Amino acid sequence: MIPIAKPCLDETEADAAREAVLSGWISQGPQVAAFEREFAALVGAPHACAVSNCTTALHLALLALNVGPGDEVITASHSFIASANSIRYCGATPVFVDIDPATYNLDPECVADAITERTRAILAVHQMGMPCDLTSLLALANRHGIGLIEDAACAIGSQINIDGRWDLIGRPHGAMTCFSFHPRKVITTGEGGMLTTSDSDQDRKLRLWRQHAMDVPDTVRHGSPQVIFENYLFVGFNYRMTDMQAAIGRKQLGRLPDLIARRRALAARYSELLGNLEGLKLPHEPEWARSNWQSYCVRLPDRVDQRTVMQNLLDQGIATRRGIMCAHREAPYASNKQRHDLRQSELAQDHSILLPIYAQMVEDDQVRVAKALRSQLGY
Ligand SMILES: *Cc1c(COP(=O)(O)O)cnc(C)c1O
């Protein structure tokens, strides 16, 4: 069986988790602090704040921009439902706009058309690790005085060229960037998330929010020779990461360069194996973007049925997934009147499939996937 994805974990991560357990400090503590420092240094952000997952990261990022009831946040329907749900957590309304079918990312012209006086923020997704058109979206956000949050759940290690310089996603351009360490992403801590920002006041607020706005963290009280009484400054949350997760995350960060190099090689090989097939559209990497290839998504020819192709591949021991979901087609959003055309989003969901890609994937397996797909398409 060739799986769709596979986390890259071995004794290194197991030992790190074991050490954290035996240290006696297992909730948010020294490992979380070290993971944050290393993550911030890696992506080139002044601040990185670890949280329990990317959904909670998105929630806090939106709160940090004062998104609340009555506000609109423009985002893609064509994304994991967490993007839309985080907007609803704030009592705000997600305004879904269509994607550019070449990149599966927000079409800046559609975003421009959707801005109203109620728009508080743009939540821009780097879908499947492919950077979205941040340059255009930032220009729009700045022109209208609204905030931009990056949903970089899938985009750790992806790069974007802005103003002639290649930056890793997470180096602050908009207000905040949110990452996920779910096992389906390029590096994992089981569950986990990270927020990066250049604004130290915002970073301080995130750190309060994630532990019930307690003004003196337990790590500080634990190490103090004096008795300290803490206060709770406002209504916060428990969005903490554990030290076991952070210890695993630090080891995963060390693997990141190799994981990305391997994924880039696999993506390039898929493009060779599947190139020049009439009607099959391979992923497009704009010249200003370098994907981490969290997923490799192909658009099937219109003449074939997505489910049939997927089932036939599964029967041959090859797992695939359909194109990214559309939130507006799911129960929580189905009753929303959609203001904007979402045709490209729906076509992408219905006519694309994700092929297996993971760092340990061997050449033979990749050739098997490509052959099986070619034969499904009649080539
Ligand atoms: C995975 C994912 C999320 C949610 O991340 P969790 O860490 O599972 O909460 C959010 N947005 C996108 C685009 C994702 O792919």
Side-chain angles (χ1 to χ4, degrees), residues 73-85 87 93-100 104-107 110-111 114 122-125 127 151 322-334 336-350:
V73 177
I74 299 172
T75 195
S77 170
H78 185 68
S79 181
F80 185 55
I81 199 163
S83 312
N85 282 352
I87 297 166
T93 305
V95 174
F96 297 129
V97 303
D98 215 355
I99 54 159
D100 174 348
Y104 305 96
N105 277 321
L106 280 179
D107 181 334
C110 298
V111 176
I122 299 169
L123 176 54
V125 185
Q127 195 53 264
D151 179 344
R322 69 171 172 174
I324 301 294
M325 66 176 294
C326 287
H328 75 277
R329 288 168 146 179
E330 299 298 326
Y333 302 98
N336 271 30
K337 207 180 143 333
Q338 300 310 328
R339 270 188 249 155
H340 304 282
D341 184 12
L342 299 171
R343 197 178 126 76
Q344 295 301 339
S345 303
E346 295 187 355
L347 287 171
Q349 178 182 9
D350 296 343

Side-chain angles (χ1 to χ4, degrees), residues 199-213:
D199 185 328
S200 49
D201 290 336
Q202 292 283 42
D203 179 65
R204 211 167 303 128
K205 217 155 53 178
L206 298 175
R207 285 168 197 285
L208 286 169
W209 260 319
R210 74 174 169 182
Q211 54 175 354
H212 291 294

Side-chain angles (χ1 to χ4, degrees), residues 53-55 58 79-80 82-83 125 127 151 153-154 180 182 185 192:
N53 56 62
C54 184
T55 308
L58 291 166
S79 181
F80 185 55
S83 312
V125 185
Q127 195 53 264
D151 179 344
C154 300
S180 171
H182 183 271
K185 320 296 185 188

Side-chain angles (χ1 to χ4, degrees), residues 273-281 299-304 369-379:
L273 292 165
L274 299 170
N276 301 318
L277 298 187
E278 177 74 29
L280 182 75
K281 284 205 198 76
R299 174 80 170 260
L300 300 172
D302 292 343
R303 62 185 159 78
V304 301
V369 172
K371 270 199 183 139
L373 179 60
R374 289 176 77 110
S375 118
Q376 277 310 302
L377 304 181
Y379 294 108

Side-chain angles (χ1 to χ4, degrees), residues 354-374:
L354 277 52
L355 302 181
I357 188 165
Y358 44 92
Q360 312 92 311
M361 190 175 201
V362 296
E363 167 79 16
D364 281 359
D365 283 348
Q366 198 178 20
V367 170
R368 216 179 103 203
V369 172
K371 270 199 183 139
L373 179 60
R374 289 176 77 110

